[in-house]
Amino acid sequence: MNLEEYLFLLKPLILLIFLGVTYSLLGIFVLLKRLSFFSDGIAHASVFSLAIAYILGLELIPLGILGGIIFSSLIYFLERKTRIYSDALIGLIFVTFLSLGIIIVSFKKGYQPELLNFFIGNILTLSQFDFYLVISLSSLILLLTILFFKKFVLIFLDRNEAILRGFNVNLFEYLFYLILGIATILGIKIVGIVLITALLILPPMSSSLLSRSFKQIVIFSPLISIFNIFNGFLISFLFNFPLSSSLVVSNSFFFFLVFILKLLLKL
Amino acid sequence: MKAIEVKNLNVSFGNFKVLDNISFDVEEGNITAVIGPNGSGKSTLLKAIMGFIPYKGEILIYGKPNSEQRKLIGYVPQHFEIEKFLPMTVKEFLEFNLTEETLPKKSHLEHHLKELDILNYKDKLLRELSGGQLQRVLFCRALINDPKILLLDEPISEIDIAGQKEFYEIIRFLNKEHKLTILLVTHEITIVHHFATHVICLNKKLVCNGPITLLFKEEILKELYGREIFVYPFNKPLEKNES
């Protein structure tokens, strides 16, 4: 086996580690504020902006990010201006822009294999530009998450208490929506629209089973994410399975394994 | 000195008026019970004082607009939902509530835990606490940022009778030792007169405002609840029964 042949896998691996650590920390807040449908909705709605980029021959991720910013803002705005539940609003944005995206792609004649790449990801579509863009943006998001970590925890634990403590709650909530919207798009080329939420929620879910304090969940979550990225890569490589599905299955198996072991050992 | 001044307060949700031209003062050091039937606007009043909801009128905390003085308020909510998945210890929960200004007072945390008798629970997970224990933790949270006013929204609704007695002892203790002005929304009018000094009766409009002895005036309670209510043992129906 010539290892040099597989050097092309190194970039997606590095990129996934960056994304995985970022997602695993954001995921704690996603679970805390019950936002898993939010990231799922943003990912699916982004088909609209990805389709425009695809039809016009533009870079997918920048336009996808623009879509992520617009959809996050739209959900945030609608949540405050209507009395409709958040998940219904997300559902509205989700189906509307997904449908519009599919209609836009249908303007292009013939079979469109890129459509499948949108949904389940394909590391081979990752360009040099994508690599640097995703690395730099995920680093920025990671930095912001760490910087405002305590504020996000307090706001998502008890919004009213955060107001009393003098925090600009609306600003930080909006900032988190934007961060999450952008972060969701960053992994789309590798993991795909359908499975992206799994990387956000599964590591903190497994971590919560193993932790006896919040400090532990914050430490374990990125470690579990990195472990399952290596594991997913290995499964994908050894059995020639799609990478995105291998990553998700690895995370899911890890969760169930910990869950069953906890049950058996009565921990 | 006036701790809270509420002037011509009006709160509406759409076309529905919840509070109608309410004005009252709360003097520093008082324990004031806010009573009234369901939907009378008691919790809304607290939310307006803390600036959580939009309103018309003026609310002053120690002479300044409430938006500038929120940090002087400690709040114990009626219901606190803990995310079951979240493994957060009592100590972590309380430390997250320390702001940059109060972080140097981190050492006070242990003191508050001790005086509220929850030092032993500091490493316990929030989700493992009983209703009464969680209540004490929420009291501790309200105290760690050194408030001058404590607002309590039906704080005993989720604790048992034994816990309720302890709760009233804590209220007295905080009022006496921490010199806290306390505003307490409650349905427990038969108990509250034992420890509150003042009462505000609310039914969208202000029905009464004054010393706690107002609770014993049948006509006030009748106006407030729309039917005959009595407060043990100062009630006429009971006297009739006894005779």
Side-chain angles (χ1 to χ4, degrees), chain A residues 54-126:
Chain A
Y54 173 60
I55 286 285
L56 299 177
L58 302 171
E59 286 286 348
L60 291 182
I61 296 182
L63 220 64
I65 289 171
L66 183 66
I69 291 170
I70 293 169
F71 302 136
S72 304
S73 306
L74 202 57
I75 293 168
Y76 180 84
F77 178 77
L78 288 173
E79 273 181 0
R80 273 143 193 86
K81 293 294 170 193
T82 68
R83 290 185 183 188
I84 301 167
Y85 285 119
S86 181
D87 58 350
L89 290 171
I90 294 166
L92 171 76
I93 303 293
F94 177 142
V95 293
T96 307
F97 287 97
L98 173 63
S99 306
L100 284 171
I102 292 169
I103 289 171
I104 289 169
V105 172
S106 74
F107 289 148
K108 211 164 186 176
K109 297 277 182 263
Y111 173 64
Q112 307 300 328
E114 284 80 1
L115 254 186
L116 192 63
N117 290 339
F118 284 179
F119 287 96
I120 62 163
N122 184 350
I123 53 164
L124 298 175
T125 62
L126 205 69

Side-chain angles (χ1 to χ4, degrees), chain A residues 140-188:
Chain A
L140 178 68
I141 288 172
L142 187 62
L143 189 73
L144 287 173
T145 310
I146 293 168
L147 201 63
F148 298 127
F149 196 83
K150 196 180 160 182
K151 284 193 170 72
F152 286 145
V153 173
L154 183 57
I155 289 167
F156 295 153
L157 262 181
D158 192 340
R159 194 176 191 276
N160 287 342
E161 189 63 27
I163 294 172
L164 283 182
R165 301 282 71 85
F167 295 155
N168 191 336
V169 170
N170 287 325
L171 178 74
F172 281 104
E173 280 179 340
Y174 182 50
L175 177 68
F176 187 79
Y177 273 36
L178 285 182
I179 284 177
L180 188 58
I182 295 170
T184 303
I185 305 297
L186 293 182
I188 275 179

Side-chain angles (χ1 to χ4, degrees), chain A residues 27-28 31-34 83 149-151 153-154 157-167 204-205 207-209 211-217 262, chain B residues 13-14 50-52 70-71 73-75 77 80-81 83 85-89 92-93 95-100 103 123-125 127-128 141-142 145:
Chain A
I28 297 171
L31 291 183
L32 190 57
K33 199 164 161 58
R34 301 179 185 183
R83 290 185 183 188
F149 196 83
K150 196 180 160 182
K151 284 193 170 72
V153 173
L154 183 57
L157 262 181
D158 192 340
R159 194 176 191 276
N160 287 342
E161 189 63 27
I163 294 172
L164 283 182
R165 301 282 71 85
F167 295 155
M205 276 171 71
S207 172
S208 73
L209 294 178
S211 304
R212 279 293 298 175
S213 70
F214 196 73
K215 194 178 173 184
Q216 285 178 0
I217 203 174
K262 271 195 85 167
Chain B
F13 297 138
M50 290 182 281
F52 294 165
R70 280 182 186 137
K71 289 179 184 176
I73 299 174
Y75 174 52
F80 184 77
E81 196 178 343
E83 281 299 334
F85 96 92
L86 189 73
M88 184 178 274
T89 66
E92 285 177 324
F93 174 70
E95 283 178 353
F96 270 119
N97 284 278
L98 286 167
T99 60
E100 280 155 25
L103 201 58
D123 295 320
K124 234 180 161 184
L125 296 182
R127 63 180 179 218
E128 293 170 351
R141 179 181 72 164
N145 287 302

Side-chain angles (χ1 to χ4, degrees), chain B residues 35-36 186-193 215 221 225 229-231:
Chain B
I35 63 162
T186 183
H187 280 294
E188 308 291 327
I189 58 170
T190 53
I191 303 170
V192 79
H193 70 88
L215 268 186
L221 292 178
Y225 291 98
I229 301 279
F230 57 92
V231 178

